[in-house]
Amino acid sequence: MIRWRNGTVLSRRRHWRGAVELDVRVGEDTLRALAYPALVGEPEPGDRVLLNVNALAMGLGTGGYALVVALPDRLPPDPPPAPGHAVKARYTPLQAVVLAADEEASPLRETLAAAHDLAGMPVVTADLHSALPAVLAGVLADRPTARVAYVMTDGGALPAWFSRTLDALAGLLAGVVTVGQAFGGDLEATNLHGGLLAARHGLAADVAIVAQGPGNLGTGTEWGFSGVACGEAVNAAAVLGGRPVGSLRISDADPRPRHRGISHHSLTAYGRVALAPADLVIPADAGPEVRAALSRLSRHTVVEVDPVGLDAALRALPVKLSTMGRDLDADYAYFVAAAAAGRHAAALK
């Protein structure tokens, strides 16, 4: 099930939030590898490393790295005693102990123990991590001082450190909350409900964006995709007294028919999983293929948003937009639809 390799670090290529990219010599080959120093220690040139090469061997577009599992000749020292007792990535070899935002030793314990609702906070849900910067651009286009928190679910990458997008958006986000088995955020939460409360009451967020981390597991079937969780996020936001806003996955460029117009992922998540009503946003200039699919989402309120000005907001982002290997101009409808959801959330006060 796991492809293992031993290698030697040649050089450190670059560093971003919580991750180090390396060149590693394995036999006659040089592999691109990724290490999380908080889990395995700081790799240096000359170190021998144990690698998991599954993602690299599969050629995953998002996660095509060999991953450093250990520095067997130079294990990191034991960390000092820490107050947290929440375990993420539980019972895997690299399970991490973190301080949950609402556990006894947290400085937010009293605040979150008394928090029972979101006080009407808009919660934008999306099924792909690539929608995050576009939604954020839409919010900030109309409310540049809004505090926007990202609540990262565990359907994709588990370490928030993997996301270079989060690294680039650090100055624009109020913070990151990692929920479920995901970890590495500014705040940690046991589940999505606790994560939303932590965003509202711990980070003082005006708007929360809920989406999985980088990567997406899908089988090409109606139900076999990790993004189905965005329908569950609608339910969680509604239960907690938030304002659910659904970002629809819209594309006129995806070569797969099931993702053209409104993706079958959105139709399943919002049409079958989300039992609470949400505002589902489309750009006012959406085409007939998009509008025809809306009949399958009758539980919700369809909101049309003027996209004027969103192009400039998207192009001003400090991160390169990309979804399924397509940039802003190659899949324009996808990013504008996500930004339109952000603009609508910004108008909800």
Side-chain angles (χ1 to χ4, degrees), residues 118-216:
L118 301 176
M121 180 181 70
V123 177
V124 185
T125 62
D127 74 327
L128 293 178
H129 189 69
S130 56
L132 168 64
V135 174
L136 178 63
V139 175
L140 298 181
D142 292 356
R143 290 181 64 186
T145 61
R147 290 181 59 82
V148 183
Y150 170 46
V151 180
M152 178 177 144
T153 61
D154 55 11
L158 297 186
W161 309 315
F162 182 73
S163 174
R164 282 172 286 182
T165 294
L166 289 183
D167 188 57
L169 297 178
L172 299 177
L173 287 169
V176 177
V177 185
T178 36
V179 307
Q181 297 288 341
F183 58 92
D186 300 292
L187 297 178
E188 303 282 356
T190 304
N191 54 43
L192 178 56
H193 298 77
L196 287 169
L197 291 169
R200 179 71 181 94
H201 299 282
L203 296 175
D206 301 307
V207 177
I209 302 171
V210 179
Q212 63 187 334
N216 177 62

Side-chain angles (χ1 to χ4, degrees), residues 103-131:
E103 66 175 292
E104 292 85 346
S106 168
L108 293 172
R109 164 71 172 198
E110 185 175 344
T111 297
L112 293 179
H116 303 294
D117 66 74
L118 301 176
M121 180 181 70
V123 177
V124 185
T125 62
D127 74 327
L128 293 178
H129 189 69
S130 56

Side-chain angles (χ1 to χ4, degrees), residues 60-75:
L60 299 182
T62 302
Y65 289 92
L67 294 172
V68 175
V69 178
L71 312 179
D73 301 325
R74 193 167 58 82
L75 297 177

Side-chain angles (χ1 to χ4, degrees), residues 52-66:
N52 176 325
V53 298
N54 274 0
L56 188 62
M58 293 173 66
L60 299 182
T62 302
Y65 289 92

Side-chain angles (χ1 to χ4, degrees), residues 39 86-98 154 157-159 179-184 188:
L39 299 183
V87 181
K88 300 288 189 91
R90 290 185 283 277
Y91 296 101
T92 66
L94 293 179
Q95 59 186 350
V97 180
V98 300
D154 55 11
L158 297 186
V179 307
Q181 297 288 341
F183 58 92
E188 303 282 356

Side-chain angles (χ1 to χ4, degrees), residues 216-227 249 256-259 263-265 268 324:
N216 177 62
L217 177 60
T219 64
T221 63
E222 181 180 9
W223 291 99
F225 66 102
S226 53
R249 182 174 172 182
R256 298 163 295 181
R258 66 183 184 273
H259 291 305
S263 167
H264 79 105
H265 285 184
T268 298
M324 302 296 169

